[in-house]
Amino acid sequence: MAYQAGGQRPAPRPVPDTCEIQAYLQDYGTLLESQSCPSLVVDHHWNVVMANSAFETLFHGVRPHPTAMPGENFLRFVLFHPDAGEVLGEHEPGWCLPMLAQLRTALETHGHDHELQAVRREIAQDPIMEAAYRQGLPHWIRAVGEAATRLDGAVRLLHHPDPRRGRTECRIVEEIPQPLRELGYRRLTMVLRDPRRPAVPVRRPRRPRDAASHLTVVPSTED
């Protein structure tokens, strides 16, 4: 289908089986694929409903993971995949903490959702991530303000596999056309910025590829 363009993907997530909706998603997938910047559509679980070839190219080098592949669930990828920091620059402050805030907001809206609760349980099994979620996240929000938890308009650092781009910035643009809104979907596009423009400095070293996906910007709190 058009909205699964760009290589091998999991089967598309279930959508209302109407000709009008299916046709819209087909056409929207064609639009997505025409974009040169990485772009994806997610549901409220952060399951990836569709993504374009530019998105696949960005994450092509990540190793297989049973539950946290970027083309399957972007939230899980950011939080749990050991290679996430190889692509997402300033991984912890730039991506992990904002996505933890996104999870917290989603749980406030969909508190009994079993997929979101499964992510929450996985965080709870990691003492450092649990400390980050319970103590570090509120502290970070107080320090940087609620605006930092929003994705739309945020400028984030990427390590692009294309050497012509390399270490570069992107601006995240969120769009929710009415048909997607009715399905509980939203589109996120990583608008790649001019690589000649100096990127923000990396504040912390990246972890080795085999390191556990632990947050270190927020110290663990002793009980």
Side-chain angles (χ1 to χ4, degrees):
M1 302 181 77
Y3 57 91
Q4 293 296 314
Q8 295 295 318
R9 296 185 185 280
R13 306 288 172 177
V15 297
D17 188 18
T18 68
C19 292
E20 183 178 357
I21 290 296
Q22 291 290 348
Y24 179 85
L25 291 178
Q26 289 277 1
D27 293 339
Y28 200 84
T30 301
L31 171 65
L32 207 68
E33 187 61 21
S34 71
Q35 305 302 303
S36 61
C37 293
S39 191
L40 69 161
V41 173
V42 297
D43 64 15
H44 75 269
H45 304 113
W46 287 88
N47 291 322
V48 177
V49 178
M50 61 180 85
N52 63 5
S53 294
F55 180 87
E56 281 201 341
T57 297
L58 180 61
F59 296 100
H60 177 73
V62 304
R63 294 169 292 178
H65 190 284
T67 64
M69 292 303 290
E72 295 177 8
N73 186 288
F74 194 68
L75 173 66
R76 283 185 168 275
F77 172 74
V78 173
L79 297 182
F80 303 130
H81 199 298
D83 292 351
E86 297 295 312
V87 182
L88 306 176
E90 294 193 323
H91 176 233
E92 295 168 357
W95 296 89
C96 275
L97 287 168
M99 291 299 281
L100 284 175
Q102 291 284 315
L103 174 63
R104 187 191 67 170
T105 299
L107 284 169
E108 290 172 354
T109 306
H110 309 281
H112 299 291
D113 186 281
H114 71 278
E115 288 193 44
L116 295 174
Q117 288 294 342
V119 176
R120 182 66 186 91
R121 286 193 300 272
E122 196 164 340
I123 289 172
Q125 292 168 4
D126 183 320
I128 295 178
M129 290 196 75
E130 178 68 3
Y133 186 84
R134 286 186 175 275
Q135 289 90 35
L137 182 60
H139 173 77
W140 175 74
I141 292 173
R142 287 193 298 270
V144 301
E146 285 283 349
T149 69
R150 294 193 289 270
L151 296 180
D152 188 30
V155 175
R156 296 287 184 258
L157 186 64
L158 293 175
H159 301 289
H160 201 284
D162 186 338
R164 292 171 297 180
R165 290 199 173 273
R167 181 173 175 271
T168 190
E169 290 180 335
C170 72
R171 184 180 297 278
I172 300 174
V173 176
E174 180 176 323
E175 299 171 296
I176 315 179
Q178 188 60 33
L180 293 189
R181 186 186 303 276
E182 292 173 359
L183 294 170
Y185 298 164
R186 54 178 165 163
R187 175 186 176 184
L188 298 169
T189 300
M190 302 175 190
V191 180
L192 303 178
R193 307 180 86 188
D194 187 342
R196 294 170 296 180
R197 181 186 302 179
V200 294
V202 175
R203 294 189 291 268
R204 296 181 181 273
R206 290 185 290 160
R207 296 186 301 276
R209 286 174 65 90
D210 293 324
S213 184
H214 287 171
L215 291 173
T216 58
V217 293
V218 180
S220 181
T221 301
E222 298 294 336
D223 293 331

